[in-house]
Amino acid sequence: MTLPEAFVARTVRDLGADEAAALCAALDTAPAVSVRLNPAKTAAQGVPRVADGAAPVPWCAEGRYLDSRPSFTLDAAFHAGAYYVQEASSQFVGRLVGDIAGRRVLDLCAAPGGKTTLYASLAGTEGLVVANEIDRRRVQALCDNVRRWGTGNVAVTCCDPRTVCDAEAWFDAVAVDAPCSGEGMFRKDDEARAAWSEGNVRLCAARQDEILAEAWRALRPGGTLVYSTCTFNREEDEGTLARFARSVGGELTESDRVAVDPAWGIVCGREGAFQTFRFFPHRARGEGFFAAVARKADDAPGRSRLPRGRRQPIAAVDRAAAAELRRWVAEPDAMRFGSAGDCCYGWYEAQAEAVAALSSALPVVYSGVAMGQLFKGRLKPDAALALFAGMERGALPGAELSDEEALRYLRRQEIDAARLAEGMNLVGCEGRPLGFAKRIGGRVNNLYPNAWRILKN
Ligand code: SAM
């Protein structure tokens, strides 16, 4: 499909004829394929086969370019959360957000969760990432990816930015990966070309203005604001930042300088206090992307507060229940346990209070790690627990499956009982857990969730 004429004309206006011609030519070439490794599931187990020997993404320590596009659906390591299939340019935001270990981060436009999982790895077990998605239809994929990543330090909310940003001055960093006209997707996606129009560019820009205004409320003084789009036009990139900067005036200030190696091909610039970074597919190895970073001034007004809670969905568990739950995690002293509905959860202690406060104030749909249900004092584990990097592997017998058996398991087909101990087992492949299965005599009850089952042959 040819590029929309009005897009080409706008690009010539924005970039000049030569740059626009080079960009448009690159949009007709094949996109690069890349993944980002999960440090919590590759440090001990090693790099998954799919990325073995793959070239590194220069701006992201965990990023890897693959030579071709494998079937990720048929790779057990993908289902174990060993990596996320993420476009290389997007991985750059990890450099912008700064040192967020132990910090609270709001990922305001989060689904399906590529950047959420990146921030979760950077925030570590003492930090918290609140991943918000406005669209109910997209929040399920976000929750699934968060569970699969298994860091246990994410809370997912599903609401309008106006609601979640009522957590005023509560976050050390806020990331706005804004809905945009998606010109950077033109290389991958004909639908993005078909959907493009001048009207949509204007609509997206207006929406971005609204989202940034909300994001600003949620950011504490001194905190970092990261803005990104996957589009090239200035109206949604520098234009949005300039309109935003005018609206907040002196409250906006520069962040620490982000070092970029010229060999990476990223076009660095400035828009007022923002450092800006443009990824053009004819210059950098990745898809079209725009990212920017600035800070809220230390003396900007803002007092940290959450909206008044109306209900507390998290209940404490009694000592016996806590003792049973503690058995299932590798660092029980670093965690707190509770229940919501009929499911027990674990949260890292460092942010447990924050998650409880947030859950009473906002529509949190998932947080920490879902551990499962208690029956007569014994835990019937949730599939999310198997994927949790902090699970205690010695809590139950483990069964290592071959690639072929792992696929049978992931399809919810029968697996060979001989490999399993009697009772509940943690099953995995290449040392990475995939889920639970229960052997009863010669039969195996495959407990992989139906909703996650592989349907593809
Ligand atoms: N950050 C995600 C990732 O890395 O996987 C991609 C986010 S995508 C570029 C933008 C998201 O913004 C979409 O999930 C979309 O549903 C959401 N969105 C759409 N309209 C919105 C609005 N008015 N306010 C906030 N988010 C919105």
Side-chain angles (χ1 to χ4, degrees):
M1 185 180 181
T2 54
L3 292 166
E5 262 176 42
F7 161 77
V8 177
R10 181 186 263 274
T11 307
V12 169
R13 272 197 319 274
D14 278 359
L15 304 179
D18 290 349
E19 189 80 19
L23 169 60
C24 292
L27 290 175
D28 281 327
T29 61
V33 183
S34 51
V35 299
R36 183 172 41 78
L37 305 177
N38 184 345
K41 297 186 180 185
T42 53
Q45 299 90 334
V47 172
R49 249 177 282 141
V50 97
D52 204 15
V57 173
W59 47 81
C60 177
E62 312 295 342
R64 299 287 184 279
Y65 292 108
L66 308 189
D67 290 337
S68 58
R69 193 175 181 87
S71 170
F72 295 114
T73 310
L74 299 182
D75 182 18
F78 167 76
H79 296 276
Y83 60 89
Y84 192 95
V85 183
Q86 186 176 43
E87 206 283 297
S89 312
S90 297
Q91 299 174 13
F92 187 73
V93 293
R95 294 184 92 82
L96 303 187
V97 74
D99 182 3
I100 51 167
R103 301 303 179 118
R104 291 202 295 243
V105 180
L106 172 61
D107 185 2
L108 191 51
C109 311
K115 297 182 189 68
T116 298
T117 56
L118 171 53
Y119 297 136
S121 292
L122 295 172
T125 55
E126 308 244 303
L128 174 68
V129 177
V130 175
N132 181 66
E133 172 55 41
I134 193 172
D135 186 339
R136 286 192 176 280
R137 289 162 304 179
R138 290 169 62 86
V139 87
Q140 190 57 49
L142 172 61
C143 288
D144 287 347
N145 284 326
V146 163
R147 285 188 186 96
R148 195 176 294 129
W149 201 245
T151 42
N153 60 349
V154 178
V156 178
T157 55
C158 181
C159 52
D160 191 286
R162 277 175 299 201
T163 306
V164 71
C165 295
D166 278 345
E168 283 190 6
W170 206 70
F171 292 96
D172 300 297
V174 177
V176 175
D177 190 32
C180 68
S181 58
E183 294 159 0
M185 305 299 288
F186 281 2
R187 192 151 71 150
K188 280 186 171 175
D189 185 356
D190 271 353
E191 269 179 38
R193 294 185 182 204
W196 190 93
S197 70
E198 284 286 355
N200 194 36
V201 168
R202 281 191 296 273
L203 200 106
C204 288
R207 193 185 295 142
Q208 289 151 3
D209 294 348
E210 288 170 19
I211 296 173
L212 274 177
E214 296 302 331
W216 197 238
R217 289 198 298 129
L219 187 64
R220 71 159 168 83
T224 303
L225 177 68
V226 176
Y227 176 77
S228 56
T229 72
C230 61
T231 213
F232 301 114
N233 73 74
R234 292 185 64 88
E235 190 163 342
E236 296 177 65
D237 293 340
E238 290 87 347
T240 295
L241 297 180
R243 292 187 299 278
F244 169 70
R246 276 197 296 278
S247 71
V248 295
E251 291 180 22
L252 188 68
T253 188
E254 290 177 18
S255 57
D256 292 345
R257 206 180 152 272
V258 177
V260 170
D261 184 335
W264 299 346
I266 301 167
V267 179
C268 302
R270 283 219 155 266
E271 179 58 53
F274 283 97
Q275 293 173 68
T276 61
F277 306 88
R278 281 185 165 276
F279 292 73
F280 292 119
H282 58 292
R283 291 183 174 275
R285 194 170 172 201
E287 295 315 289
F289 189 62
F290 174 84
V293 64
R295 235 165 34 86
K296 192 180 235 187
D298 293 328
D299 59 0
R303 195 169 57 83
S304 177
R305 66 168 198 97
L306 283 175
R308 191 189 294 270
R310 274 159 298 183
R311 55 181 194 109
Q312 178 49 270
I314 298 174
V317 290
D318 63 25
R319 283 166 76 102
E324 167 64 359
L325 295 168
R326 285 174 63 86
R327 233 174 36 80
W328 290 80
V329 298
E331 291 184 279
D333 291 341
M335 296 195 75
R336 189 186 293 189
F337 306 98
S339 65
D342 54 8
C343 187
C344 295
Y345 287 81
W347 300 273
Y348 281 106
E349 187 61 51
Q351 295 290 345
E353 275 308 321
V355 174
L358 197 76
S359 302
S360 84
L362 295 173
V364 174
V365 295
Y366 185 77
S367 66
V369 55
M371 296 189 63
Q373 287 176 263
L374 286 167
F375 290 104
K376 297 186 181 152
R378 306 274 300 175
L379 185 72
K380 179 174 180 256
D382 189 284
L385 182 56
L387 298 172
F388 175 44
M391 187 195 158
E392 170 54 53
R393 305 277 286 269
L396 75 174
E400 174 71 14
L401 305 181
S402 66
D403 289 354
E404 203 179 308
E405 280 174 313
L407 280 180
R408 292 187 63 76
Y409 175 75
L410 294 167
R411 292 189 165 114
R412 278 194 110 229
Q413 293 169 342
E414 237 175 78
I415 54 170
D416 184 4
R419 289 215 184 247
L420 274 65
E422 187 67 16
M424 193 67 84
N425 289 254
L426 180 66
V427 300
C429 185
E430 291 191 300
R432 293 183 195 94
L434 291 166
F436 298 103
K438 192 171 185 179
R439 175 176 170 178
I440 308 157
R443 269 197 47 240
V444 176
N445 198 359
N446 184 335
L447 298 174
Y448 198 64
N450 208 14
W452 297 356
R453 175 169 63 112
I454 300 180
L455 298 170
K456 185 175 168 181
N457 283 320

